[in-house]
Structures are given as structure tokens and as C-alpha cells.
Amino acid sequence: MEEPLIPVVPMSHTAHIRSHRKPRPRSSSALAMRAGVAGGVLSTLAVAGAAGSANAAEPVTQTIELPTLTADMTAQVAESAEVTQQAAADYQLRAERDAAAAKAAKQAKADLADAKKKAEAKQKAEDARKAAAERATRSSARTTLTSTSADSDVPAPASGSVGTVINFLKAQVGDAYVMGATGPNAWDCSSLVQAAFKQVGVDLPRVSQDQSVSGTPVSLSNIQVGDILYWGGAGSAYHTGVYIGGGQYLDAANPSKGVVIQDLSGYPASGAVRVL
């Protein structure tokens, strides 16, 4: 019987030399860390494998929600656009209201200024009228209705009629002269004469041309209180007034004077007629 052969393994020439490195002690924390890392890797692989298996087993269904999300976004965009449009409309309305208010304030200011001017003009006219009336009153106080020496040669008119005419005329002293006006606060020359004689029932023509040929012609040397004086030719007169005695007459003179009492010597008449 042959003896079994023992294989001979060649050894390194340094195998018989002991290593001088000291073995490093392995701490428990290091071992635990390595174990944890290894466990974490294995867990991650397990989860990934499970997820992969689940994904492979089940179809993807997330895209089903996309239409719903798109509809919601569309509604939000529409709502935002509506809010923006309403805000713009409100802003425009406020702007229009502000502009209207500013325009109204400007117009009110202009109307107030215009009213103030008119009030001032009216007050001035009233002051001028009062001053003229006061002057006329002082003047009439010095004037009497007694006839001049020429008057004594003319038969007296009906009792009371002349006084009524003269009183009416004097009551209008200070009124304004306005061409075409017929009272009660503004006159032209012929409308004042016509209104005065209407107080005693005498209807005279409206214009001075016709008044100058109404009644009986009287020479200027024989005029008496209540006679109608005219300037210009008979039938073509441009102005009329009434003689009130004492060398004076009363008329609606012109726009600057209005209704006044004047001296006949300062503006001699062209002729006279008597209707009373």
C-alpha cells in the first residue's frame, strides 16, 4: 500500500516573517455604522424593487386629473379677467363722475360770478334811479303848476284832467328810457305821453309823428299846462313831451337821462298841440 501524497504548496519567502502591524481594534460604533449603512442600502434596494414591481403591475393613472386641473385654471383666469374688467369699469365711472363734478363746479362758479355782476348792475341802476328821483323832487318843489302870462290868455282845460296827467308824469320821473318800451318802469317819449293822457280817457296814437298832429295846434307863445310839445315837423316829429308850466316840460328824454323835467329854454320845442 502506497502512502498518500501530501501536496506541497510553495510559500512566499516572506511568509515566515510575522507582521509588525498591530491589529486595529474595531469599535462597536464603527461596526454599528457599517451595519446601518448596509441595512439602509438593502432597504433602499428592497423598496425600489417593490416600487418597480408595483409600477410594473399597475397602470399609471395620474393623467386622469389633468382635464380637471385645466378646467379649474380656465375658470380662475376667466374670473380674474372679469375682476380686472370690473375694476377698469369702476375706475372709468369714477373718472367720469369726477370730471362731471369738476365741470359742474366750474359752471356754478361762472353762474355765481354772472349773477353777482347782474346784481351789482341792478343795484347801480336802482341807485341811479333814486338819485334822479331825488333830483326831480327837489326840482319839482321849486316848480309850480301856475300858468305863465301866456297861459292866462288861453282858456283853462277841464278841471282836474290836467292835474291827473301831470301827477302821473311826475310819478314816472327817474324811470329808464328804452326805445319801444311802454312801462311801467321804462318808456320811450311817445309811450309816456300816450300813457299819461290815457289816465283821463284820451287815446293818443303810439308814435310821436302821429301825436304831433293830434288835437288842436297851439303856438308856443300860447301854450298851457298839459299841452303836448313836439320836436321836428308836424306829422314828422321825432320827439314829444308835455308842458308842465313855469317854462318846463317833462319827457322820456334819452337812454342817458331817462324820464326827467327840463327847461324849455334849453331845448326849445318846434310846436305844440292841445288835446284837453
Side-chain angles (χ1 to χ4, degrees), residues 129 165-175 184 187 250 259:
R129 177 177 176 175
V165 171
I166 301 305
N167 289 336
F168 176 84
L169 290 170
K170 285 188 174 182
Q172 315 312 313
V173 170
D175 282 357
W187 313 85
L250 190 151
V259 178

Side-chain angles (χ1 to χ4, degrees), residues 190-204:
S190 55
S191 68
L192 180 61
V193 172
Q194 182 187 46
F197 283 91
K198 190 174 183 179
Q199 306 304 308
V200 294
V202 177
D203 292 326
L204 292 177

Side-chain angles (χ1 to χ4, degrees), residues 105-123:
K106 184 177 180 181
Q107 184 62 42
K109 185 177 180 181
D111 292 342
L112 181 61
D114 185 56
K116 185 177 180 181
K117 289 181 179 179
K118 289 182 178 179
E120 291 176 351
K122 184 176 181 180
Q123 186 61 45

Side-chain angles (χ1 to χ4, degrees), residues 10-71:
M11 297 181 64
S12 169
H13 64 281
T14 60
H16 65 283
I17 302 175
R18 292 185 65 179
S19 173
H20 293 286
R21 295 180 178 178
K22 293 182 179 182
R24 297 179 178 176
R26 303 294 179 101
S27 64
S28 60
S29 60
L31 293 175
M33 182 179 295
R34 288 188 177 183
V37 170
V41 171
L42 292 176
S43 298
T44 301
L45 292 176
V47 171
S53 300
N55 291 337
E58 297 180 2
V60 178
T61 61
Q62 287 80 352
T63 56
I64 295 176
E65 299 179 0
L66 288 178
T68 303
L69 293 175
T70 302

Side-chain angles (χ1 to χ4, degrees), residues 247-271:
Q248 293 183 319
Y249 65 96
L250 190 151
D251 68 338
N254 53 52
S256 64
K257 290 184 178 181
V259 178
V260 293
I261 295 174
Q262 305 189 77
D263 290 330
L264 191 56
S265 60
Y267 188 38
S270 302

Side-chain angles (χ1 to χ4, degrees), residues 91-182:
Y91 177 80
Q92 183 178 0
L93 180 60
R94 286 196 301 270
E96 292 175 353
R97 288 177 178 175
D98 292 343
K103 183 178 181 180
K106 184 177 180 181
Q107 184 62 42
K109 185 177 180 181
D111 292 342
L112 181 61
D114 185 56
K116 185 177 180 181
K117 289 181 179 179
K118 289 182 178 179
E120 291 176 351
K122 184 176 181 180
Q123 186 61 45
K124 289 181 179 179
E126 183 64 21
D127 293 343
R129 177 177 176 175
K130 289 181 179 179
E134 291 176 359
R135 290 193 301 269
T137 300
R138 290 193 298 268
S139 177
S140 63
R142 297 190 299 266
T143 304
T144 64
L145 295 178
T146 57
S147 301
T148 62
S149 58
D151 296 337
S152 61
D153 297 331
V154 179
S159 177
S161 297
V162 172
T164 301
V165 171
I166 301 305
N167 289 336
F168 176 84
L169 290 170
K170 285 188 174 182
Q172 315 312 313
V173 170
D175 282 357
Y177 176 99
V178 177
M179 178 64 71
T182 57

